Amino acid sequence: MSIDYKEFISQVKRKTNIDLSLYKEAQMKRRLTSLYEKKGYTSFQEYFQSMNANSDILHEFLDRMTINVSEFYRNKQRWDVLENKIFPRLLAERKSLKIWSAASSTGEEPYTIAMVLSKYIPLSSISILATDLDSNAIEKAKIGIYPERSLNEVPVEMKKKYFTLEGTYYRVSDEIKKTVTFKQHNLLADSFESNFDLIVCRNVLIYFTEEAKDLLYHKFNSALRTGGTLFVGSTEQIFNPQSYNFTIEDTFFYKKM
Ligand SMILES: C[S@@+](CC[C@H](N)C(=O)[O-])C[C@H]1O[C@@H](n2cnc3c(N)ncnc32)[C@H](O)[C@@H]1O
């Protein structure tokens, strides 16, 4: 690792408590280098000085390093498995479920969980914790207004029931919004709650180093109750689930042993 980037990592850690050394280096460096070069800086050092002095530049950096892309029912077939296999089992074991959408970005994921679960229990008895590192994403999630492309995979009946069209945007209903509590949380630094029935953590682990992922699989396992399930993204298969005390419940679903 270059001294320039290494030094930048420790400066950013001191300033924001975000540890870039736990993110895949080549990818993160490429994203940030292309950003600072566009702005006319020639090194991470120069970039940090400016970030340190100007909060707009800091926010732009945070925006760049957190990749917020999301959509409702992302990888729809996986949500069908959640609906038809995982939720029926979990609800047979417990009447009320403790659910966490970790790295929930702009809210599409926790709102999808609520829609899927609403097929089984009333919305008024659903409560989902949703967390993300990026407070801007959380603010957008709370507003709950989305472009049409985020809704491509939403089943027609859900779209009718839980969205209203405003111009070219869709607003998610208040009854869905009320099921979710958003909090700012850093997966790589903050402590986890426990006794979850379901943890959904998708499309963020791909950005982390193997070492960070390894630690997180252990922490997710501890945060679940026995028999609880971890639902990961469709490129994030765990290759040795047993070593984290998980069994494969379905592709991309891991049940705590
Ligand atoms: C690509 S989005 C995934 C959103 C959603 N889970 C999905 O699958 O559609 C990745 C999210 O991870 C968040 N993130 C990145 N690093 C994080 C960290 N250390 N702790 C918590 N969230 C983080 C980003 O802010 C971003 O919102």
Side-chain angles (χ1 to χ4, degrees):
M1 190 185 292
S2 68
I3 296 180
D4 186 34
Y5 188 56
K6 210 171 171 177
E7 184 57 24
F8 180 74
I9 287 180
S10 35
Q11 289 163 324
V12 168
K13 176 106 198 277
R14 277 196 299 274
K15 188 161 179 76
T16 65
N17 201 28
I18 292 169
D19 188 350
L20 290 176
S21 75
L22 298 174
Y23 290 76
K24 282 183 192 147
E25 183 187 338
Q27 202 180 17
M28 183 59 77
K29 229 171 135 173
R30 205 177 323 116
R31 289 183 69 75
L32 296 177
T33 308
S34 76
L35 174 68
Y36 81 56
E37 282 178 349
K38 227 188 278 166
K39 305 249 135 201
Y41 304 109
T42 55
S43 68
F44 277 106
Q45 280 322 291
E46 215 182 288
Y47 183 42
F48 183 79
Q49 296 316 325
S50 159
M51 219 160 95
N52 205 18
N54 180 333
S55 63
D56 285 348
I57 309 232
L58 175 65
H59 287 135
E60 191 182 34
F61 155 77
L62 291 171
D63 213 37
R64 182 72 175 195
M65 61 115 346
T66 59
I67 299 152
N68 294 134
V69 276
S70 190
E71 62 184 285
F72 291 91
Y73 289 85
R74 188 173 190 170
N75 316 111
K76 173 74 171 53
Q77 287 166 325
R78 301 294 113 212
W79 292 92
D80 294 341
V81 173
L82 181 71
E83 178 172 332
N84 299 321
K85 180 172 177 181
I86 313 296
F87 272 147
R89 177 186 64 80
L90 291 173
L91 288 164
E93 292 169 8
R94 284 188 176 200
K95 270 211 220 86
S96 105
L97 301 180
K98 186 171 176 184
I99 301 174
W100 178 20
S101 165
S104 55
S105 187
T106 37
E108 294 88 332
E109 181 178 282
Y111 293 146
T112 301
I113 301 172
M115 289 177 209
V116 172
L117 190 53
S118 74
K119 292 214 159 171
Y120 296 103
I121 55 175
L123 284 174
S124 57
S125 48
I126 300 176
S127 153
I128 298 161
L129 169 68
T131 63
D132 200 278
L133 177 66
D134 181 356
S135 47
N136 284 330
I138 293 178
E139 285 317 306
K140 286 191 191 153
K142 287 182 180 165
I143 294 169
I145 295 179
Y146 300 93
E148 178 149 31
R149 64 169 185 281
S150 324
L151 276 75
N152 279 344
E153 301 274 17
V154 177
V156 179
E157 85 270 18
M158 291 294 170
K159 199 165 163 181
K160 272 201 201 130
K161 212 166 167 184
Y162 295 128
F163 292 91
T164 45
L165 185 61
E166 290 184 0
T168 54
Y169 285 79
Y170 286 82
R171 179 190 288 275
V172 72
S173 76
D174 283 345
E175 43 173 351
I176 288 288
K177 276 203 220 163
K178 274 187 206 149
T179 66
V180 182
T181 305
F182 288 96
K183 282 189 192 151
Q184 205 249 351
H185 178 274
N186 183 348
L187 284 167
L188 298 171
D190 297 332
S191 62
F192 292 9
E193 286 184 28
S194 60
N195 214 24
F196 287 103
D197 297 283
L198 175 70
I199 298 175
V200 180
C201 184
R202 309 185 71 219
N203 305 301
V204 63
L205 295 172
I206 31 162
Y207 302 116
F208 297 157
T209 62
E210 290 306 311
E211 175 203 10
K213 273 194 265 192
D214 185 70
L215 184 77
L216 280 172
Y217 293 143
H218 283 296
K219 287 184 74 176
F220 283 135
N221 191 275
S222 306
L224 287 163
R225 67 160 171 92
T226 302
T229 288
L230 172 67
F231 175 17
V232 299
S234 292
T235 54
E236 298 173 321
Q237 218 144 355
I238 305 179
F239 291 108
N240 44 353
Q242 319 72 266
S243 63
Y244 305 103
N245 194 31
F246 282 117
T247 54
I248 300 177
E249 185 165 20
D250 205 301
T251 326
F252 309 112
F253 291 90
Y254 300 92
K255 180 169 151 186
K256 178 171 176 169
M257 292 200 270

